[in-house]
């Protein structure tokens, strides 16, 4: 089964539920807003609740965007998430003179996923 078919099946599943039916067209703006708020939260203390909501919102919106087979926006969202972990890694190295291994692992993982989503968007065009 191709990945696109799995995405289309997921999109059809989301279209059956009333809450996800409302959120499907809002996937891209929700992803971008949540990812930008995550990056902003690296510089300004937004509070634990806002950080948690934007973190969960990023992944929910990412699933919605991928289910619509919009891999270019998924790559952009994943790149913004990667930038957030890059900022966290650089901040720990510069400020605390220590390596944040969790941020490094997340940076590598989400960076790889962003590259794969971008490559997938190039093959879809």
């Amino acid at each position: 089964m191709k990945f696109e078919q799995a995405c289309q099946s997921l999109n059809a599943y989301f279209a059956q539920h009333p809450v996800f039916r409302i959120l499907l067209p809002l996937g891209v703006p929700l992803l971008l807003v949540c990812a930008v708020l995550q990056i902003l939260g690296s510089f300004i203390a937004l509070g634990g609740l806002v950080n948690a909501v934007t973190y969960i919102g990023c992944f929910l919106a990412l699933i919605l965007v991928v289910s619509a087979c919009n891999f270019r926006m998924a790559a952009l969202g994943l790149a913004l998430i990667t930038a957030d972990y890059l900022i966290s890694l650089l901040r720990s190295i510069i400020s605390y003179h220590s390596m944040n291994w969790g941020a490094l692992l997340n940076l590598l993982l989400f960076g790889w996923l962003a590259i794969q989503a971008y490559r997938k968007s190039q093959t879809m065009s």
Side-chain angles (χ1 to χ4, degrees), residues 17-85:
H17 296 286
V19 174
F20 289 118
R21 190 178 317 134
I22 294 169
L23 290 177
L24 271 173
L26 299 174
V28 172
L30 185 65
L31 176 63
L32 295 177
V33 166
C34 287
V36 167
L37 283 175
Q38 281 289 109
I39 292 173
L40 188 64
S42 296
F43 298 106
I44 301 170
L46 297 176
L49 180 65
V50 173
N51 285 338
V53 168
T54 58
Y55 184 78
I56 293 169
C58 275
F59 293 109
L60 173 65
L62 185 62
I63 291 170
L64 293 172
V65 168
V66 169
S67 75
C69 294
N70 193 350
F71 298 111
R72 189 170 303 239
M73 280 294 121
L76 179 63
L78 285 166
L80 288 173
I81 294 169
T82 303
D84 179 41
Y85 286 113

Side-chain angles (χ1 to χ4, degrees), residues 85-94 99-100 103-104 107:
Y85 286 113
L86 178 64
I87 291 167
S88 175
L89 179 67
L90 291 176
R91 177 170 283 168
S92 70
I93 290 172
I94 293 170
M99 178 65 84
N100 185 347
L104 178 64
L107 174 74

